[in-house]
Amino acid sequence: MSPATAPAPPTPAAAPVSAVPLSAVSDGALGLEARLAAVDALMTLRLEEAAVAHEVRTAHLGVDPVDLADVITVPLAPARQPAAPPVYRTPAAALLERAHHHMRTAGWCAGALTDDAGAVCLLGALHAEAGGDQDLVVDASAILLDAIRRRFHDESVPAFNDRQRSGAVPERMLLEAAGLADARGR
């Protein structure tokens, strides 16, 4: 091949402005602090170049400002969950089951039938779901006390309720009492 017909040698790609020879950074002559400063400067330059490149690549895209108040919404109060279909058909068992659901959705409290936020204790849940039928509340609370005494040997439903640290055990006792009431046909 003659020199006139030989292909031209490839031209090297232009080095970016931030190209710093790694040998300068990793040179043993520089101390640790100087090497860290050089790497920091190198990374800063690379990040600035990337930011400029991103701006150039996305300049044609239209961006509408977003108001976060339109996007992020949270409920002011927790929504009450719909009740599951009743499992128990006897009056006391059904009341205990409804009281369990009421406590689970409204929350549990101690020291009062209800608190300012609407949370209820064991007896408060029974009263809230009984619809004013005091005989049914008495029957259901007697069965609830039997279920509590089987496991905890407490003297009363309020004493048991107030001794708890959370609503998990009272909720479970309402369901156990509902099963007991159903087994008794009450």
Side-chain angles (χ1 to χ4, degrees):
M1 264 190 181
S2 71
T5 59
T11 58
V17 176
S18 65
V20 175
L22 289 177
S23 61
V25 175
S26 61
D27 186 12
L30 295 176
L32 176 63
E33 292 297 322
R35 287 189 309 220
L36 287 175
V39 168
D40 182 45
L42 175 66
M43 291 307 296
T44 301
L45 285 174
R46 286 183 180 173
L47 287 172
E48 288 173 355
E49 285 178 358
V52 169
H54 176 73
E55 289 293 324
V56 169
R57 283 192 300 259
T58 59
H60 68 282
L61 300 176
V63 178
D64 296 329
V66 176
D67 184 13
L68 290 181
D70 295 337
V71 177
I72 301 173
T73 58
V74 294
L76 296 177
R80 189 166 178 186
Q81 300 170 353
V87 174
Y88 302 109
R89 304 233 186 270
T90 59
L95 173 61
L96 288 159
E97 182 181 30
R98 289 192 313 271
H100 168 263
H101 179 73
H102 186 91
M103 181 180 285
R104 177 170 229 135
T105 57
W108 169 83
C109 72
L113 289 176
T114 61
D115 68 3
D116 294 337
V120 292
C121 72
L122 285 166
L123 291 178
L126 289 174
H127 283 282
E129 292 296 323
D133 188 348
Q134 293 304 314
D135 293 335
L136 185 57
V137 171
V138 169
D139 190 31
S141 59
I143 296 168
L144 178 59
L145 182 59
D146 286 346
I148 290 170
R149 284 184 176 162
R150 287 179 174 200
R151 298 179 126 222
F152 300 99
H153 310 291
D154 273 287
E155 294 298 318
S156 68
V157 173
F160 169 77
N161 183 79
D162 293 348
R163 198 169 46 81
Q164 303 307 309
R165 294 180 184 259
S166 74
V169 175
E171 285 178 18
R172 189 173 71 234
M173 291 312 301
L174 283 168
L175 285 182
E176 286 185 23
L180 184 61
D182 188 58
R184 292 179 180 173
R186 297 169 61 192

